[in-house]
Amino acid sequence: MRLEFSRYTERVGAVRLHEVMRVIELDSSGGGPELPTLAVRRVSEERLLEHMARMAVVIPIRDERLKVFEGLLSAIPHACALIVVSNSKRAPVDRFRLERDVLDQFCYYTQRRALIVHQQSPLLARILQEIGYAALLDAEGRVRDGKAEGMLIGMLLAHTIGKDFVGFVDADNYFPGSVYEYVRIFAAGFSLSPDPEYAMVRILWRYKPKLTYASGLRLDRWGRVSERTNRYLNRLLSLHTDFTTDIIRTANSGEHALSLRLAQLIPYASGYGIEPYQIVALLEHFGSSQASEGLKQLGDHLIDVLQIESRNPHLHENKGLPHIQSMTLQSLSTLYHSSLADEAFRMELREELIQEGLLGPDEEIPVPHILPPFGPYAEAFRNRVELLLEQAWLPARWTWPAS
Ligand code: GDP
Ligand code: CO
């Protein structure tokens, strides 16, 4: 793979935010000797493979189409570990069982292993209770609903099986070719990071196709939610640094990857606020040169945030207006309630939401539920999860020679 390397970087405390990088060549194997250039980097297939072998791909899924799920499994490179965290319905049809079946068959034919757990598994809830990670549980002691909660379980499992990187892929991706590219981009991003143990790779889609009645296929550059979240996230960053910026273009990027060292240091916002809040959290905890708890844990490392633009378009399930509205609200609430926001920022954001009909004039912007970093719980989780893993490993009907 050949990529543009970012030429512009904003440094905010210990965080380096890199400008968007483009993919120039999806596959660069077979070329001659390389002429070194500064602006373009080639990542060999061996380097990609090296990083994919250290990566778990986590797929959060909730009642998606099985055909789409089945298609995207074919796109996850064989070297990656596969972890599916499902919050799908168990009745009247047990959708989780169907997902498990699809994954089982895939593992059987490809001779690979995968983990699948249900977010509402009582055993999982009990383990989380025992290790004291209460923020993931609701008042009844069950694991909370939400995509972020699923992703955290995925990260705990990735840590448990000894992976160094974790990449997220939504289960409603229609094009396996896009997913294949995303995972290779994750690996390329880590390969290019100066300190891959403390890096985050976020995908920017080249296009987001939509079918409209009026004009047929439209290839939009931005989703509606993303445009707004990016704008406000950049404003928040500007407030923090005093310089206007538009460096952030991947505020809502569901397709992203983190090194687990970094992943376990940061708090997460519940539900759909998780992606923008990752950046907010980095800025809040590591974004100033004042001594802080965050910087102490980071030691002398720096955090790199790479934004890489894919070549393939992103087509996912259209979940309708209410979904987009709740997503917008969940995303923006993490900015609104950030300690970096000031009164003027909050007022403008609130007014825009009211004007767009996303918030009632007397309504308050809900305070996001924040899930604390999983670092302090990771070892205890690993030590107690054996029974859960026994049930979660696939393929079920196949015993593998130990390796
Ligand atoms: P969007 O693509 O960001 O508009 O949001 P989606 O609704 O497509 O959600 C992204 C991914 O998270 C999809 O694969 C969903 O199936 C999955 N998802 C949504 N809610 C949950 C949840 O409560 N738990 C889990 N494990 N996954 C979820
Ligand atoms: Co989606």
Side-chain angles (χ1 to χ4, degrees):
M1 193 173 237
R2 200 183 303 265
L3 303 101
E4 217 176 55
F5 195 70
S6 91
R7 274 161 291 181
Y8 179 71
T9 306
E10 288 211 14
R11 294 173 181 78
V12 193
V15 184
R16 289 190 291 215
L17 299 166
H18 297 271
E19 190 185 51
V20 171
M21 300 155 49
R22 283 189 190 85
V23 172
I24 294 176
E25 195 174 44
L26 282 167
D27 187 338
S28 305
S29 35
E34 291 293 309
L35 299 172
T37 59
L38 289 176
V40 174
R41 305 280 174 88
R42 172 176 176 255
V43 182
S44 69
E45 292 297 305
E46 295 75 51
R47 289 279 290 163
L48 289 178
L49 185 61
E50 236 171 74
H51 285 86
M52 289 193 292
R54 296 165 63 196
M55 188 188 310
V57 172
V58 170
I59 305 174
I61 181 168
R62 183 174 200 174
D63 301 325
E64 303 293 353
R65 294 169 185 236
L66 284 172
K67 280 229 161 48
V68 176
F69 175 59
E70 200 254 324
L72 83 95
L73 290 178
S74 73
I76 313 295
H78 193 96
C80 301
L82 242 172
I83 300 176
V84 178
V85 184
S86 168
N87 199 17
S88 301
K89 288 196 192 72
R90 309 291 315 254
V93 175
D94 189 348
R95 298 210 41 104
F96 173 64
R97 190 170 161 195
L98 298 177
E99 291 158 5
R100 195 170 186 280
D101 198 52
V102 167
L103 186 61
D104 190 55
Q105 195 176 45
F106 173 74
C107 288
Y108 183 69
Y109 289 132
T110 55
Q111 309 209 357
R112 62 196 279 188
R113 301 182 75 194
L115 282 170
I116 181 165
V117 295
H118 197 276
Q119 205 161 320
Q120 301 302 335
S121 142
L123 180 54
L124 175 64
R126 203 167 68 225
I127 295 166
L128 293 170
Q129 192 108 55
E130 280 170 12
I131 65 172
Y133 200 3
L136 272 179
L137 305 168
D138 64 16
E140 278 88 59
R142 301 177 338 144
V143 178
R144 292 164 49 95
D145 283 331
K147 180 190 175 197
E149 285 76 357
M151 289 167 62
L152 264 165
I153 293 159
M155 287 192 263
L156 283 166
L157 289 171
H159 173 268
T160 298
I161 60 173
K163 293 293 159 180
D164 297 318
F165 306 112
V166 60
F168 297 98
V169 171
D170 285 353
D172 62 341
N173 270 293
Y174 271 81
F175 298 149
S178 303
V179 173
Y180 178 63
E181 186 189 0
Y182 299 153
V183 178
R184 286 167 59 88
I185 287 179
F186 296 157
F190 291 120
S191 308
L192 293 175
S193 294
D195 187 357
E197 307 293 337
Y198 290 88
M200 180 188 292
V201 184
R202 302 170 75 91
I203 307 259
L204 172 66
W205 314 302
R206 186 103 180 93
Y207 297 109
K208 224 174 155 179
K210 276 196 196 72
L211 278 174
T212 62
Y213 286 114
S215 53
L217 183 68
R218 221 177 55 202
L219 291 169
D220 281 345
R221 192 78 181 81
W222 302 105
R224 266 177 299 170
V225 185
S226 304
E227 187 278 326
R228 188 172 282 133
T229 321
N230 282 330
R231 180 155 45 86
Y232 276 101
L233 193 47
N234 279 313
R235 287 238 350 240
L236 197 66
L237 177 57
S238 310
L239 278 180
H240 185 55
T241 60
D242 292 331
F243 289 92
T244 309
T245 180
D246 60 356
I247 194 140
I248 295 167
R249 313 258 301 271
T250 54
N252 283 106
S253 174
E255 270 63 35
H256 65 271
L258 289 149
S259 61
L260 275 163
R261 286 258 180 96
L262 172 61
Q264 53 187 291
L265 293 185
I266 57 179
Y268 297 89
S270 177
Y272 291 107
I274 184 165
E275 284 93 8
Y277 185 70
Q278 285 168 341
I279 305 268
V280 175
L282 287 184
L283 297 176
E284 284 180 354
H285 294 272
F286 309 99
S288 98
S289 32
Q290 313 282 326
S292 72
E293 194 46 45
L295 288 181
K296 212 163 72 194
Q297 286 179 308
L298 196 60
D300 48 10
H301 294 278
L302 292 175
I303 298 168
D304 284 286
V305 179
L306 278 72
Q307 308 181 91
I308 305 181
E309 185 177 278
S310 69
R311 284 286 164 178
N312 281 282
H314 182 73
L315 183 70
H316 69 149
E317 193 69 35
N318 181 355
K319 292 181 178 155
L321 201 58
H323 172 71
I324 290 187
Q325 289 176 338
S326 88
M327 201 161 148
T328 306
L329 211 57
Q330 287 184 31
S331 293
L332 293 177
S333 71
T334 66
L335 312 188
Y336 182 87
H337 290 287
S338 162
S339 60
L340 306 175
D342 67 8
E343 253 339 282
F345 175 91
R346 292 202 175 109
M347 224 157 78
E348 193 180 315
L349 176 52
R350 186 153 190 278
E351 238 134 68
E352 185 170 323
L353 289 175
I354 293 172
Q355 229 162 43
E356 295 282 320
L358 295 169
L359 193 75
D362 308 316
E363 257 180 283
E364 291 302 323
I365 298 181
V367 181
H369 179 78
I370 303 296
L371 310 163
F374 68 86
Y377 308 98
E379 270 319 301
F381 183 82
R382 191 199 301 234
N383 293 335
R384 276 182 210 226
V385 80
E386 199 174 328
L387 192 59
L388 184 77
L389 287 188
E390 250 171 57
Q391 301 167 8
W393 276 120
L394 293 180
R397 56 187 149 163
W398 185 276
T399 36
W400 295 84
S403 71

